[in-house]
């Protein structure tokens, strides 16, 4: 949906199938465009996120616990918490877990104030810091940063490591949000080099601004979430193997589109600076590099991964519970990769019943192609 890339245009030629009431809901979710910055949405860019309104529409009218097995930036969890729901999210990416956890924090005013105070002090210290990073993983990425920027980032990193534990996660999320912005990388979804000059001290100033922004967003989010709503349960787990603490009413998710992104390489700058373990290269589902290397093997592997994570779903759902999947066709070797039929077949093999589906064509201004996107509803 709309956070995938700034090049998404409105969906056209929508066709539907199944229960009329549910297809109306799916069409409404499919056709959302633009970006919505309410609450903690929009803080910290994350590729391939659902539009917040799409997630809210798909959740609205239901009750009970919600799970997103590919939580990414946590959009589904934020929307579910605003509806007062118990939420679970898992992802293979440590960055996804970091971002989702920060976006779903229920902080009282005192904690937000402590977070802001620490951020201000850390930023001031980073302006005067004059040592380059020594972490080998960061040193290996040094060509992406001007020398003075790298020193300010190292000062920020060191200051965060010395901050009280209760706000370290939020400070780390604010730090993570600027690691690509302050580099010579074009964007979060492109490793193309763009030479950009950032004046001394502006990296530390930007960090302080991001801390203040996150603080404001967390205050708004806390006010929007009903009292007694539990904190989201976000964990580093593989959707193909995870077991939830309890069955849920709804699973709402957008799994990786085949051959669209290489999520692991896109996060290497952050993994290095945050000293986080790099996931196993073979664990990533449907990366673009696999389709470039061996399209036939990659397609077969993607279909096996579909079976693997969908086979877990019936045990994760209450009787009568629902799974909603938002997914788009891939594109490799000049041909579209159909996602609709494989996911419907895999879901039915898992014992899930198709209820409704909405599909449409959307132009992507990045590779200048038109691909189909689908929202599919299944029930246990």
């Amino acid at each position: 949906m709309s956070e995938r890339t700034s090049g998404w245009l409105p969906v056209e030629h929508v066709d539907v199938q199944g229960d009329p009431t549910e297809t109306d809901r799916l069409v409404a979710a499919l056709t959302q465009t633009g970006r919505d910055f309410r609450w903690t949405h929009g803080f910290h860019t994350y590729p391939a996120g659902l539009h917040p309104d799409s997630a809210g529409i798909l959740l609205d009218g239901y009750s009970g616990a919600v799970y997103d097995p590919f939580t990414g930036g946590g959009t589904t969890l934020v929307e579910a918490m605003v509806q007062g729901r118990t939420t679970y999210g898992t992802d293979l990416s440590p960055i996804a877990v970091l971002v989702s956890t920060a976006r779903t924090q229920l902080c009282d005013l005192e904690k937000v104030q402590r977070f802001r105070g620490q951020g201000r002090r850390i930023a001031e210290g980073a302006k005067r810091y004059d040592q380059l990073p020594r972490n080998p993983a960061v040193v290996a990425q040094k060509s992406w940063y001007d020398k003075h920027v790298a020193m300010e980032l190292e000062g920020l990193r060191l200051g965060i490591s010395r901050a009280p534990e209760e706000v370290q996660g939020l400070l780390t999320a604010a730090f993570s949000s600027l690691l690509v912005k302050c580099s010579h990388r074009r964007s979060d979804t492109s490793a193309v080099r763009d030479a950009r000059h950032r004046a001394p001290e502006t990296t530390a100033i930007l960090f302080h601004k991001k801390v203040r922004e996150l603080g404001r967003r967390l205050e708004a989010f806390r006010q929007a979430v009903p009292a007694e709503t539990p904190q989201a349960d976000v964990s580093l787990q593989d959707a193909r193997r995870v077991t939830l603490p309890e069955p849920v009413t709804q699973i709402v998710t957008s799994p990786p589109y085949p051959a669209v992104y290489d999520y692991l390489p896109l996060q290497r700058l952050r993994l290095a600076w945050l000293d986080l373990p790099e996931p196993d290269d073979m664990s990533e589902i449907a990366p673009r590099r696999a389709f470039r290397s061996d399209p036939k093997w990659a397609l077969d592997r993607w279909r096996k991964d579909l079976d693997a994570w969908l086979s877990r779903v019936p045990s994760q759902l209450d009787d009568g519970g629902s799974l909603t999947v938002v997914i788009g066709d891939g594109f490799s070797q000049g041909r579209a990769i159909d996602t609709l039929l494989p996911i419907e077949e895999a879901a039915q093999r898992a014992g899930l019943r198709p209820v409704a589906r909405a599909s449409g064509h959307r132009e992507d201004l990045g590779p200048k192609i038109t691909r189909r996107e689908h929202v599919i509803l299944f029930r246990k």
Side-chain angles (χ1 to χ4, degrees):
M1 289 296 190
S2 64
E3 281 185 18
R4 290 183 189 285
T5 166
S6 59
W8 285 123
L9 295 176
V11 167
E12 297 179 349
H13 311 300
V14 176
D15 66 271
V16 299
Q17 181 177 319
D19 179 275
T21 301
E22 292 295 353
T23 55
D24 286 347
R25 179 198 301 270
L26 302 188
V27 169
L30 181 67
T31 54
Q32 297 302 312
T33 60
R35 301 190 68 181
D36 193 317
F37 291 97
R38 66 182 184 272
W39 310 320
T40 54
H41 295 309
F43 181 83
H44 198 302
T45 55
Y46 201 90
L50 276 172
H51 190 287
D53 287 340
S54 297
I57 289 166
L58 296 173
L59 292 163
D60 194 35
Y62 289 82
S63 61
V66 177
Y67 170 47
D68 186 347
F70 302 95
T71 195
T75 299
T76 297
L77 308 187
V78 170
E79 289 293 319
M81 290 179 70
V82 171
Q83 294 186 14
R85 317 263 301 267
T86 298
T87 53
Y88 298 95
T90 59
D91 206 288
L92 270 177
S93 168
I95 304 301
V97 172
L98 169 72
V99 176
S100 291
T101 300
R103 283 189 184 174
T104 56
Q105 283 293 298
L106 294 174
C107 301
D108 58 30
L109 182 59
E110 289 75 17
K111 182 174 179 178
V112 172
Q113 289 174 338
R114 289 192 293 273
F115 164 58
R116 286 174 174 153
Q118 287 292 326
R120 182 180 64 253
R121 286 188 285 273
I122 291 168
E124 286 302 314
K127 292 177 184 178
R128 300 184 295 273
Y129 195 79
D130 60 359
Q131 300 294 315
L132 284 168
R134 296 182 181 180
N135 182 328
V138 176
V139 172
Q141 306 289 341
K142 67 180 182 180
S143 64
W144 288 108
Y145 297 93
D146 290 337
K147 183 177 178 179
H148 65 278
V149 171
M151 288 192 290
E152 286 178 54
L153 288 173
E154 179 64 5
L156 293 171
R157 186 202 62 78
L158 185 62
I160 292 169
S161 71
R162 296 170 176 171
E165 186 175 350
E166 68 162 346
V167 294
Q168 273 192 7
L170 296 175
L171 291 165
T172 301
F175 180 62
S176 177
S177 72
L178 55 85
L179 288 172
V180 172
K181 187 181 293 289
C182 293
S183 76
H184 293 301
R185 243 181 62 179
R186 178 170 294 175
S187 71
D188 273 78
T189 56
S190 173
V192 173
R193 185 180 183 86
D194 278 345
R196 293 191 297 259
H197 176 70
R198 180 171 288 275
E201 299 191 4
T202 58
T203 299
I205 291 170
L206 178 60
F207 171 75
H208 188 206
K209 288 182 178 179
K210 295 297 288 185
V211 167
R212 287 185 295 171
E213 177 194 348
L214 181 54
R216 290 192 301 270
R217 290 172 175 269
L218 288 170
E219 287 180 353
F221 177 58
R222 187 67 188 88
Q223 292 174 4
V225 174
E228 311 303 323
T229 303
Q231 180 65 56
D233 184 335
V234 185
S235 58
L236 187 69
Q237 295 195 67
D238 188 336
R240 294 162 289 194
R241 299 175 181 85
V242 66
T243 299
L244 295 180
E246 62 173 342
V248 300
T249 302
Q250 266 188 297
I251 298 176
V252 176
T253 194
S254 183
Y257 292 17
V260 173
Y261 282 127
D262 286 319
Y263 291 93
L264 176 58
L266 289 175
Q267 298 293 1
R268 282 206 171 106
L269 283 182
R270 292 191 173 99
L271 292 170
W273 277 101
L274 303 180
D275 198 22
L276 291 171
E278 190 167 298
D280 179 5
D281 189 66
M282 292 296 293
S283 67
E284 190 173 351
I285 293 178
R288 181 167 53 188
R289 62 188 180 278
F291 283 85
R292 285 175 171 170
S293 175
D294 189 339
K296 186 177 182 301
W297 177 88
L299 185 61
D300 182 62
R301 172 64 184 269
W302 171 67
R303 288 172 173 164
K304 289 178 179 177
D305 286 334
L306 275 183
D307 277 318
W309 76 263
L310 283 165
S311 69
R312 307 293 303 161
V313 168
S315 65
Q316 296 164 348
L317 283 174
D318 290 322
D319 290 340
S322 69
L323 163 69
T324 306
V325 179
V326 180
I327 193 165
D329 291 350
F331 195 81
S332 177
Q333 306 291 307
R335 299 178 62 183
I337 302 170
D338 175 46
T339 55
L340 179 59
L341 183 60
I343 204 164
E344 287 184 330
E345 291 179 341
Q348 290 181 70
R349 283 194 294 271
L352 299 167
R353 175 174 57 89
V355 175
R357 183 263 302 167
S359 300
H361 292 81
R362 192 193 303 268
E363 290 186 25
D364 180 358
L365 294 183
K368 295 185 179 178
I369 60 174
T370 298
R371 58 171 106 239
R372 292 190 308 162
E373 287 204 330
H374 317 282
V375 186
I376 318 156
L377 173 65
F378 304 93
R379 289 200 191 281
K380 178 177 175 180

